[in-house]
Amino acid sequence: MAGLAETSTDILIIGGGLAGVATARHLARAGAGVIVVERGDIGGAASGANAGSLHLQIPHAEFLSLGEGWARAFAPVLPLMRESVAMWARLPGEIGADLGVALTGGILVARSPAQMQAVARKAAIERQAGLEVHLLDRAELAGLAPYVAPGMIGGAFCPGEGRADPLVATRALAAAARRDGARILTGVELVSLAADGAGYLARCRGRQIRARRVVNAAGADAGRIAAMVGVRLPIEGHPLQVTVTEPLAPLIGHLLYSAAGKLTLKQGGNGRCLIGGGWPSRLRPDGRLAVNPASLLANMATAVEAVPALGAVRALRTWPAVVNGTPDWRPLIGEVPGRPGFFLALFPWMGFTAGPITGLLTAELVLGRRPAIDLSRISALA
Ligand SMILES: Cc1cc2nc3c(=O)[nH]c(=O)nc-3n(C[C@H](O)[C@H](O)[C@H](O)COP(=O)(O)OP(=O)(O)OC[C@H]3O[C@@H](n4cnc5c(N)ncnc54)[C@H](O)[C@@H]3O)c2cc1C
């Protein structure tokens, strides 16, 4: 197309979220030529707006709603998440940045014997997948987490879980990828992509880029990018919301979940609590996101039920953001069959936890290397 600046690269990555910049960093470190195009800011979508939980366990609400068959099919993904959390622990040292990583352990609390039975059934599946989980009775729960409501009769403790800071992590990783030689372009939106000779031609606003290989790391928009090359993906955007409280003295020492309702709750190093758990926000008719007040009330009620002291704490801000979701929750990582050179770097729902390993595995596959983890029972692409 006349008049457009043209660049060529070995590998083009669409999307400057955590998956895209983590992939770029590994590729650049391996000496590959890599360009990332991000239509907004680095980490400006889900990667910078999430609740910062580093999960290792099967989400309890989905264990109940999708069932044990789903949980068993999802369990092979758990070792991948465990490896990713281990990478989170090493990342600050590797890139010389404080990412707010704290592996405090996670506790799922239960209010009734029926809830406790479900917690135990889920823990059995997690243990079979190699996850360390300890069931807690009331006394053990009170000893470990005295801030939890006396009405909670027990729970499960997963020592490896924790948190990282979404406000800094993706940007810090992008800075590291740039130092390693990746070109990361912001404010550059991909508008079309087509197979072209031995590679792909990407048209962005104001420029076009020829690439031998393309990585689709566009999060909730990955389906739109894949459709440009005739590939249908089961990935969709789901609007969620998260709330932050005013700072309080150190109180909540773990990543807390509840079997009584959707909840993730943690207190950061700055004293503020982040409260979420997958509550929906609202998509307005004009396409913009808005906070859902009913979700906010229900989310806060679940939090206060688990930790009564939060009843005296002010919520400062609630924000909506879109998560990349798939029906079966399994990641889509690797080269798309029938589309040589077109790769996916997509980890749905818990892609903040899994960002580091998603980047590493995608880079290994792009480079034609054997991945560190066998993806055959993990990626929905395999
Ligand atoms: C409210 C909320 C809370 C969450 N809490 C947690 C949590 O506590 N723990 C956890 O593990 N996960 C959590 N998640 C999920 C997690 O945030 C995401 O799974 C993860 O960030 C996805 O990363 P990504 O890089 O794949 O996608 P994104 O961060 O969405 O990045 C994709 C990027 O692609 C760009 N893009 C899209 N189309 C184009 C285009 N045409 N051209 C150029 N660029 C394009 C977008 O602008 C975007 O920046 C949460 C998500 C939400 C929304």
Side-chain angles (χ1 to χ4, degrees):
M1 191 187 278
L4 285 187
E6 182 166 318
T7 319
S8 58
T9 183
D10 186 3
I11 300 147
L12 173 66
I13 299 177
I14 320 295
L18 189 54
V21 301
T23 304
R25 175 169 170 262
H26 288 291
L27 289 171
R29 281 162 69 86
V34 52
I35 294 179
V36 179
V37 289
E38 164 54 51
R39 70 178 168 202
D41 293 327
I42 295 303
S47 294
N50 64 71
S53 308
L54 299 182
H55 302 288
L56 290 180
Q57 58 183 282
I58 295 168
H60 194 75
E62 283 67 31
F63 174 73
L64 297 178
S65 64
L66 299 175
E68 287 196 35
W70 167 77
R72 287 183 200 287
F74 181 73
V77 181
L78 299 185
L80 186 146
M81 291 163 64
R82 194 174 56 215
E83 182 52 34
S84 200
V85 172
M87 291 175 75
W88 270 110
R90 295 193 297 267
L91 261 179
E94 281 176 23
I95 67 173
D98 180 359
L99 306 179
V101 178
L103 301 185
T104 56
I107 305 179
L108 168 62
V109 296
R111 188 179 61 189
S112 68
Q115 285 173 11
M116 201 52 220
Q117 280 164 16
V119 168
R121 284 201 309 276
K122 184 169 83 77
I125 296 172
E126 290 163 344
R127 284 205 198 103
Q128 269 174 16
L131 188 64
E132 184 181 352
V133 190
H134 306 279
L135 293 180
L136 305 171
D137 62 20
R138 171 65 215 155
E140 289 164 332
L141 176 61
L144 188 64
Y147 54 86
V148 167
M152 295 294 172
I153 63 165
F157 177 52
C158 178
E161 296 189 304
R163 63 172 195 266
D165 187 347
L167 291 178
V168 299
T170 304
R171 286 186 196 183
L173 211 56
R178 281 189 169 118
R179 288 197 297 274
D180 288 325
R183 281 184 70 193
I184 301 183
L185 309 175
T186 56
V188 176
E189 180 173 9
L190 178 87
V191 290
S192 78
L193 182 69
D196 179 57
Y200 290 86
L201 178 63
R203 294 214 162 94
C204 305
R205 296 196 196 286
R207 73 177 76 208
Q208 59 186 24
I209 302 172
R210 286 182 196 281
R212 211 155 65 80
R213 289 164 287 185
V214 170
V215 176
N216 178 359
D221 281 309
R224 228 161 36 81
I225 307 297
M228 292 176 185
V229 291
V231 174
R232 282 186 62 170
L233 294 182
I235 200 146
E236 282 185 344
H238 297 260
L240 303 181
Q241 62 189 42
V242 182
T243 296
V244 65
T245 70
E246 63 183 334
L248 50 147
L251 173 72
I252 300 167
H254 306 92
L255 167 58
L256 201 70
Y257 310 89
S258 174
K262 289 193 291 187
L263 178 70
T264 63
L265 165 60
K266 69 200 74 77
Q267 186 172 17
N270 57 10
R272 299 174 194 273
C273 295
L274 275 179
I275 306 176
W279 288 89
S281 56
R282 214 159 47 84
L283 195 57
R284 300 193 321 194
D286 65 3
R288 297 181 63 181
L289 291 174
V291 169
N292 178 330
S295 286
L296 176 60
L297 287 176
N299 195 183
M300 295 309 105
T302 314
V304 173
E305 184 192 41
V307 180
L310 285 177
V313 175
R314 278 180 304 176
L316 288 190
R317 194 166 78 86
T318 302
W319 62 90
V322 174
V323 68
N324 50 330
T326 61
D328 69 1
W329 286 58
R330 289 168 68 201
L332 292 149
I333 297 174
E335 191 171 30
V336 177
R339 296 293 182 285
F342 185 68
F343 292 79
L344 305 179
L346 303 169
F347 195 103
W349 301 109
M350 297 186 283
F352 187 66
T353 302
I357 192 73
T358 301
L360 176 64
L361 294 172
T362 305
E364 285 170 334
L365 290 163
V366 169
L367 294 168
R369 296 179 183 162
R370 192 189 162 95
I373 294 178
D374 174 17
L375 285 168
S376 53
R377 290 177 62 221
I378 296 177
S379 171
L381 265 185

